[in-house]
Amino acid sequence: MCCALGGLSLAAPKAKGKPQAKNAKPAAAAQADLKKWMKRSNAVFSVFEAAEAGDTEKLSELLKAGESPAAVDELGRTALHLAASAGQEKAAEMLLKAGADCLAKDADGKIPSQLAKGAELRKLLQAGEDKRAKELQVAKELDAGNEDFVAQALSMGVNPNALVNNGTDTLLSYAIGKGRMKAAEALADAGADPNWVNPNGLTVMHVAAVKAGPELIAKLVAKGGKTDVQQRNGATAIHEALWYGRNNVLPALLPGATQPEFAPSTKKKGFGPPLIMAVMRGNTTAMGIFVEAGANINADLYKDEPLLIVAVKAGKPEAVKFLLEKGANVSAKDKTGKTAADYAADKPQILKLLK
């Protein structure tokens, strides 16, 4: 059985037969993938169960944790369909506030109000249908480039956090992704959540780091946007900006991250602090921005290695020179007792800088 979450397939990873293919994952890695899938799958189905049972406490917990009200089961039903058919008015109201689509059709082509038990619940859902139609119209206008329509829609009470694009975007992330920055500013001013997380683990700030300019990013950070939240592959919004060479937005992103390393609280899939990425890429412009913002160049930020050693091992003389000019400790050792000069023995250009 497969459950689609806003375009994200939750089909279980395929078992690997013997003998393994050349590029097949080891058994331990395959088992880890299966556990991750089960954890994610169970969380999604818990949304359905909580909605149908009217367990608003559990439902609220799941929604706050980032579970999507746009998820569908094998019959094409959303949690709102289940809450409606079970007569769970409070759960339905909670789902609507979280952006559930009251116009979504199940496999039989029915929307939630057509399944609703109770006149009050049906009335609640029908009222939401008009509102939902306006939200979807906003997305269409954004596609067409009509950014002024957004302000009009917001003045008519459209939810700035409404889910669009099959639940994979809010209006804010959709506007940024489409390059509609004027509309994005209007949505931000109207209270759109800059920390909303899509089903793939991307926050609005991840999207902004790649698509938006420094002015909009600064506005989102001022409204509480966090730029050191990790997506599922471990990258933060700052990592994304570095990856795409967007040094110009770094000064706007850094205030939304932890000082001074600008690092995620936990490491995933090999991602260290963004400063490490800048050093390993020899991006001295970004390194300068980090240092100006308060980063400590003598901190052991990655695998207990001083930044100078990281730069040497990466073979980046420009990064080595920058760190030396900023006062990096040449005598600093890693956990094996080696210095930067030890690692530069076969790199004459770098070794010359260290002498």
Side-chain angles (χ1 to χ4, degrees):
M1 182 173 65
C2 170
C3 174
L5 177 58
L8 173 66
S9 173
L10 289 175
K14 294 180 179 179
K16 298 196 169 46
K18 294 182 179 181
Q20 284 190 338
K22 183 177 180 181
N23 295 322
K25 290 184 180 180
Q31 186 65 23
D33 282 349
L34 180 60
K35 286 182 179 178
K36 288 178 183 177
W37 175 84
M38 288 296 294
K39 182 178 180 181
R40 183 66 180 158
S41 180
N42 288 337
V44 173
F45 285 110
S46 292
V47 172
F48 299 143
E49 293 169 354
E52 189 170 28
D55 187 345
T56 53
E57 184 176 345
K58 180 65 174 178
L59 184 59
S60 176
E61 177 185 322
L62 290 163
L63 293 172
K64 286 179 180 178
E67 297 306 324
S68 175
V72 296
D73 66 9
E74 69 278 9
L75 298 178
R77 301 173 301 183
T78 66
L80 189 58
H81 281 96
L82 295 175
S85 61
Q88 302 294 354
E89 186 174 344
K90 289 184 178 180
E93 188 174 3
M94 182 175 290
L95 287 163
L96 288 172
K97 287 181 179 179
D101 188 353
C102 50
L103 292 177
K105 295 180 180 180
D106 63 14
D108 293 325
K110 293 184 177 180
I111 61 177
S113 65
Q114 293 174 308
L115 304 175
K117 287 185 179 178
E120 289 301 313
L121 176 54
R122 188 174 300 106
K123 183 179 179 181
L124 173 70
L125 293 170
Q126 288 173 341
E129 290 165 12
D130 291 335
K131 186 176 179 181
R132 182 58 181 162
K134 291 175 183 176
E135 293 169 353
L136 296 176
Q137 184 62 34
V138 171
K140 289 181 180 179
E141 296 295 335
L142 286 172
D143 285 336
N146 184 5
E147 297 189 69
D148 291 331
F149 184 84
V150 173
Q152 298 172 27
L154 290 170
S155 69
M156 293 187 290
V158 166
N159 179 8
N161 291 308
L163 296 180
V164 294
N165 198 22
N166 294 320
T168 60
D169 280 297
T170 60
L171 287 174
L172 177 58
S173 64
Y174 193 69
I176 295 173
K178 289 287 183 178
R180 314 303 190 202
M181 300 309 165
K182 180 179 178 182
E185 285 198 27
L187 288 160
D189 289 335
D193 183 4
N195 296 313
W196 177 81
V197 184
N198 81 1
N200 293 321
L202 286 172
T203 69
V204 174
M205 298 309 301
H206 282 95
V207 180
V210 178
K211 296 283 189 177
E215 296 81 8
L216 178 57
I217 289 174
K219 174 172 283 194
L220 294 173
V221 168
K223 291 181 177 294
K226 298 177 181 178
T227 58
D228 55 2
V229 175
Q230 291 176 286
Q231 59 167 301
R232 289 184 185 168
N233 72 359
T236 67
I238 301 173
H239 286 108
E240 294 284 357
L242 286 168
W243 182 262
Y244 287 95
R246 306 195 75 219
N247 292 334
N248 65 310
V249 302
L250 288 174
L253 287 166
L254 296 187
T258 305
Q259 299 276 9
E261 298 88 2
F262 313 106
S265 58
T266 58
K267 293 178 181 177
K268 298 179 183 178
K269 303 202 176 196
F271 276 90
L275 177 54
I276 294 296
M277 179 183 279
V279 171
M280 295 182 78
R281 288 181 155 224
N283 186 343
T284 55
T285 299
M287 290 167 65
I289 293 170
F290 285 128
V291 170
E292 187 176 342
N296 179 6
I297 61 169
N298 285 308
D300 297 343
L301 300 178
Y302 183 67
K303 296 182 179 180
D304 299 320
E305 290 182 344
L307 285 176
L308 190 59
I309 288 179
V310 173
V312 172
K313 290 173 74 173
K316 299 296 182 181
E318 62 273 35
V320 171
K321 182 179 179 182
F322 175 92
L323 291 168
L324 291 172
E325 288 174 351
K326 295 298 180 181
N329 182 4
V330 182
S331 302
K333 299 178 180 181
D334 64 10
K335 59 186 177 182
T336 69
K338 292 183 177 181
T339 65
D342 293 325
Y343 287 105
D346 60 345
K347 300 178 177 69
Q349 183 182 2
I350 292 178
L351 186 60
K352 185 178 178 180
L353 293 171
L354 295 168
K355 294 299 185 180

